[in-house]
Amino acid sequence: MNLAYRYLEREDFSSYEDFCRGLKVKVPENFNFAYDIIDEYALLEPDRTALVWCNDHGEEKIFTFLDLKKWSCKTANYLKSLGIKKGDRVMLILRRRYEFYFFALALCRIGAIYIPCTHQLKEKDIVYRANAAGVKMIVAYPAWDVVWSVENSLAESPTVEKIVMVGDRRDGWLCYDEDIHSFSDEFPRPRGDEAPKNDDLMIIYFTSGTTSMPKMACHDFTYPLGHIVTAKYWQRVQENKLHLTVAESGWAKFGWGKFYGQWICGAVQFVYDMDRFVPENLLEKMQKYRIATFCAPPTVYRFLIHHDFEKYDLSSLEHCSTAGEPLNPQVFKTWERVTGHKIYNGFGQTETTVLVANFEWFDVLPGAMGKPNPLYHIDIVDENGNSVPVGVEGELVIRDVDTNKPVGLFRGYYNDEKATGRVWHDNTYHTGDMVYKDEYGFLWFVGRNDDVIKSSGYRISPFEVESAVIEHPAVVECAITGAPDPIRGTVVKATIVLAKGYQPSEELKKDIQNFVKKITAPYKYPRVIEFVDELPKTISGKIKRAHIRKADYGENIDE
């Protein structure tokens, strides 16, 4: 049994067209994921496994839905005793620890807002986030760099009243592990004014900040229901079988793949709390725990196929998916040859659930984004907001966001009406992502609208050129940008990190250029190539193309 049927008018569809006609998500009044999903499973099947957790130190924990109910209720009582109430903002820096679920569910019960943050944040990052969101409490785990960053941020974070440590004790911090045991494992559903409503804020995600300071994307209490499509129809999770999404709790991908939709659809969450990414360790865990459905960024797939993944037993896999960056065809083909499974691409934003995906009714085309999620009225438009024909590049937008807001779409940027108004106006949400549609209805990613290169009258997709460059065996990572040129105005530049065993040289540059000319239209090849030790990235791992572009044009780089 799974609870998705309660929120869908129909679960099964015969074709994508039938899916578009028949998909309807029913949103009940005052939906609350903690009470309506976790507690409902705990009532109906208290011994049902919800979460399997392990780490690199031989520790393993298995939690039932009843366990999650009890621990999150205890945590809600604990937080309430510390003054946390409906609407308060609490920052969670908990990596992949299982306690993250206790706190997130507890805050959901209270109606407080949780703000997931990566453990890679430094002092200035925490100060910015704490002040921007008016954070009242920070909950963190005892990694020295995290502890140091939090403690040193407090002098400039006046709204932070308490800091809580999970997993250890330290002077100046409240100790969750010692204090939690005295609290009741019952936390009745709030009533009246204390009860969270559908349009109350549940989560604030900080965006990656690739071109500006991170914005705060707000999601309300209906957000989990939008992820039914993410989990059931794109990731295709299986009831009572383990699902693994490679993601850390500080990012929206955790909500996409390790929380909401998977449990609504009856899957078991598998969480591997790795100290650092070691491909062999991940493969060992996938083999040992018999993972059924798997979702990871293309970079993870690229690392896995280069670490003797053929020697691991991955026969338990039933479906594989990816999102976030180019997946080069060779990785796609190698993964399918060894595992027997295609990799189903999906696309979305921190502000949304999955927008476009390769669903089960399609023959997957490597590199294609897929087709639109029927919950969203998706269109491709020119700079004047007019729909463009097949084959023409335009901006991906969501129509009817005021008259018929899709479940799963964010409510705007927290305390920033100007930023919200720039992307949400005229009954339309503008994603800022450039795409085109082919004659079969598949969407193809071009790049962020600020990243598209205009050179000698051509519009060139950095995504497409990157996809070609990373096919070269010497290339590990690549960023494509426009660079100044006295004749053409702008030319294509490739900033490249080389694989082990390769050294920068003029001969290698020419070899990469000739290689790209054979894969894509010759005018798209990188006329400028720069080899670097590493690419500038955000703390979420996204490449800062604007950083490279501004440096080449001699502009100030805003860190």
Side-chain angles (χ1 to χ4, degrees), residues 333-392:
K333 293 172 184 175
T334 302
W335 187 266
E336 183 181 15
R337 175 180 58 80
V338 174
T339 69
H341 293 285
K342 295 179 170 62
I343 302 173
Y344 286 70
N345 195 22
F347 169 84
Q349 298 183 318
T350 300
E351 293 87 345
T352 71
T353 59
V354 69
L355 289 175
V356 181
N358 284 275
F359 297 108
E360 62 181 289
W361 307 279
F362 308 157
D363 289 328
V364 178
L365 301 174
M369 298 164 67
K371 295 184 180 182
N373 173 351
L375 293 182
Y376 297 89
H377 180 185
I378 284 175
D379 197 5
I380 305 171
V381 302
D382 61 20
E383 60 270 19
N384 297 315
N386 300 313
S387 301
V388 300
V390 167
V392 176

Side-chain angles (χ1 to χ4, degrees), residues 253-281:
K253 189 64 185 297
F254 194 93
W256 276 51
K258 301 177 89 76
F259 209 149
Y260 299 113
Q262 295 71 32
W263 273 333
I264 295 173
C265 297
V268 180
Q269 299 283 10
F270 176 74
V271 179
Y272 169 33
D273 187 14
M274 61 184 80
D275 291 335
R276 61 186 182 89
F277 174 56
V278 178
E280 295 91 342
N281 292 350

